[in-house]
Amino acid sequence: MSEDRSVSRGLRQRHIAMIALGGAIGAGLFVGSGVGIAAAGPGIVVSYVVAGALTVVVMRMLGEMSAAHPDSGSFAAHAARAWGPWAGLLAGWMYWALLVVSVAAEAIGASRIVAGWLPQVPAWVWVAAFMALFTGTNLAGVRRFGELEFWFAGVKAASICAFILLGAAAVLTGRTPAAENLTAHGGLLPHGWHGVAVGTIAAVFAYGGLETVTIAAAECEDPVAAVRRAVRTVLWRVALFYIGSMAVIVAVVPWDDPAVAGGPYAAAIGRIGVPGAAQLMDAVVLVALLSAMNANIYGSSRMLHALAARGDAPRLLTRRGRSAGRGDGAAGTGRAVLASAAFGFVSVVLSLRWPRSVFPFLLNSIGTAILVVWILIAASHLRLHGRRQRPDGPGQQGREQERGSRQAGPVRGLPYLGYAALAAMAGVLVFMLVDPGSRSQVLCTGAWTAVLLLVAGVRRRRRRPDDAPAAAPTDPAEPAADPEAEPAVAALTAAARTVPGTGRPRS
């Protein structure tokens, strides 16, 4: 197993546990779930089950690769190992763009909530304050980020658990007509399976963000243990927070209630009879948006740092600080933090200056980015798994993959489960392409993908053999040389060339 030593080890196991927990409660769950409910009705539960199953498979694949090869570049590094530099460049820049544009959307959403409470302060002031706060937090060091995200995740988890308990109590005590809400407004599938499919698309994007824990695990004291615990708990986190909360919403409030479109959680809390439901949920959504901003600035900076380390971004972003490895300071990622935050702030400016043209184009360009990343994760895992099954031996990467499988827990049903996941994601893309409402997202993301592949192709042509020192070809089935063993080999060689006890060279 090889580890990424270009970043610090400032995170603790409790940080990783709560980052994994908080990552399962993203802003998309609170903000975007109303669209899915409007499309699928009570069938949104089926949509979240289908998307959740896909998420669990992808996360198990990612966890196995990350346990074998902990790296702050996470899936981008795995894609580069499996398919070559072009795949690492595509995955890394695609995810980076997704995160920095998401930072802008979250900053705008958070500022609108606070501006509603304090209308005398312009919204842009809050945007600037939030951007400065989380940029400073990430510059202060990974442990500061971990502590802040620890408390953010605690608030989100406690809020969702309280919501589910209150909703379940309302259903069990008969305070809300659950059976009527589920069946009297067009039935369980009011828009048929087409509505379920549309809801599945919304659910897939709500699940996005779970990948951040494998990026953060590379900066933990024990990366393998952190990945193992996070991946092994993804199933119950998906079932509880996503599927459980969707089931409560459609049981407590009719899916076609106009209030659901504005905010399904606030509508459900209001129907239960909790005083100040709208203000309470606004506060919870604000915490979720601020948590997502914090996590996305962190994730984008680590991905940019990893891209630069592989030569896929300017090398100046990889300068290491003296604090690397001690958990204080930015451990050389400070420039990547500033660059990512700067692009996020530019996206905010674009959204304020051209809210109906430029910024919607940016949102569309990363609309299906998470699916591209997931497809690369599944394809990379299948390729590395295939190397493990080589008839002439697994080779170095195959042995690493076997070790990761044992440590994170093997993915059952391979390779068929991997092919099924790829087929499901391809099906989602095809459905979005034929659907007029989401076609522009696929086309814009496709254009961004084509640009990145073109850049990768140009870079490959420029990397000529005479630009790098020649290296003898190696057998992929043989283990890689151990750098730590080279001094010992040199010492033994020198000893063999001298007369014992004299130190003089042999004649």
Side-chain angles (χ1 to χ4, degrees):
M1 177 191 70
S2 59
E3 296 182 5
D4 181 6
R5 301 185 182 277
S6 66
V7 291
S8 69
R9 292 286 184 267
L11 292 177
R12 301 288 185 261
Q13 290 292 343
R14 65 183 181 88
H15 295 143
I16 298 297
M18 292 305 285
I19 289 172
L21 194 64
I25 314 173
L29 179 63
F30 295 105
V31 178
S33 54
V35 176
I37 294 174
I44 191 65
V45 177
V46 179
S47 300
Y48 271 81
V49 169
V50 173
L54 177 61
T55 303
V56 170
V57 172
V58 172
M59 285 301 298
R60 292 300 297 267
M61 290 178 170
L62 179 56
E64 183 178 298
M65 293 187 292
S66 296
H69 196 276
D71 194 296
S72 62
S74 186
F75 46 83
H78 308 325
R81 289 192 305 122
W83 295 100
W86 68 268
L89 184 147
L90 174 60
W93 280 110
M94 183 68 69
Y95 197 67
W96 180 85
L98 169 65
L99 295 186
V100 294
V101 175
S102 297
V103 165
E106 290 147 3
I108 294 167
S111 67
R112 287 173 178 169
I113 292 176
V114 181
W117 297 338
L118 301 171
Q120 65 273 21
V121 180
W124 68 265
V125 173
W126 295 113
V127 170
F130 293 146
M131 292 294 295
L133 170 64
F134 295 120
T135 301
T137 299
N138 279 273
L139 286 173
V142 69
R143 191 169 298 175
R144 304 294 189 279
F145 158 78
E147 285 295 333
L148 189 58
E149 198 60 26
F150 177 88
W151 294 107
F152 274 150
V155 172
K156 291 191 293 184
S159 301
I160 288 290
C161 289
F163 173 80
I164 293 174
L165 290 175
L166 286 172
V171 171
L172 294 175
T173 58
R175 293 184 59 186
T176 180
E180 179 181 344
N181 290 337
L182 292 172
T183 60
H185 299 267
L188 293 174
L189 303 179
H191 296 149
W193 290 104
H194 180 272
V196 172
V198 175
T200 301
I201 294 173
V204 165
F205 297 117
Y207 283 121
L210 291 172
E211 315 83 13
T212 305
V213 70
T214 60
I215 297 175
E219 298 190 65
C220 187
E221 297 167 318
D222 188 348
V224 175
V227 169
R228 180 174 61 246
R229 292 171 184 170
V231 169
R232 288 182 175 178
T233 59
V234 68
L235 179 60
W236 72 261
R237 286 185 279 126
V238 165
L240 175 64
F241 295 130
Y242 285 89
I243 301 172
S245 61
M246 288 299 109
V248 167
I249 289 172
V250 295
V252 169
V253 60
W255 69 269
D256 54 356
D257 189 319
V260 172
Y265 286 85
I269 288 290
R271 185 62 64 97
I272 292 172
V274 176
Q279 292 75 16
L280 179 63
M281 288 312 303
D282 277 347
V284 174
V285 172
L286 176 63
V287 170
L289 289 169
L290 296 180
S291 173
M293 280 187 67
N294 188 38
N296 288 342
I297 291 176
Y298 167 81
S300 60
S301 66
R302 282 356 183 229
M303 188 59 69
L304 187 59
H305 179 267
L307 284 165
R310 293 197 305 273
D312 293 329
R315 290 282 187 180
L316 60 88
L317 297 171
T318 63
R319 185 182 66 83
R320 298 192 63 193
R322 290 177 295 177
S323 60
R326 300 201 307 265
D328 53 344
T333 59
R335 293 182 178 181
V337 170
L338 289 174
S340 298
F343 275 93
F345 193 79
V346 168
S347 298
V348 171
V349 173
L350 292 176
S351 71
L352 296 176
R353 181 66 181 84
W354 296 285
R356 297 184 179 180
S357 56
V358 178
F359 192 62
F361 172 77
L362 289 177
L363 291 175
N364 281 334
S365 67
I366 52 94
T368 56
I370 194 63
L371 280 175
V372 175
V373 169
W374 284 9
I375 287 171
L376 285 169
I377 290 172
S380 300
H381 185 273
L382 283 171
R383 189 170 180 85
L384 294 174
H385 175 78
R387 291 175 183 175
R388 191 173 66 184
Q389 305 298 324
R390 285 167 55 109
D392 57 342
Q396 177 68 11
Q397 290 185 345
R399 281 187 288 271
E400 287 184 352
Q401 196 68 15
E402 285 181 351
R403 194 178 303 115
S405 178
R406 291 193 301 270
Q407 291 167 338
V411 181
R412 307 293 182 184
L414 288 176
Y416 307 107
L417 190 61
Y419 291 132
L422 283 175
M425 289 183 280
V428 172
L429 284 176
V430 170
F431 182 86
M432 294 182 67
L433 187 60
V434 300
D435 181 60
S438 55
R439 183 180 300 141
S440 61
Q441 296 183 32
V442 179
L443 295 177
C444 289
T445 304
W448 175 228
T449 302
V451 169
L452 291 175
L453 290 176
L454 179 63
V455 171
V458 171
R459 288 180 58 82
R460 183 178 179 180
R461 292 197 174 195
R462 288 183 176 178
R463 289 174 178 172
R464 298 180 179 179
D466 55 353
D467 293 337
T474 59
D475 183 358
E478 293 182 359
D482 184 359
E484 297 180 358
E486 291 181 1
V489 173
L492 289 173
T493 303
R497 293 176 177 174
T498 59
V499 179
T502 66
R504 297 192 301 273
R506 294 180 184 270
S507 57

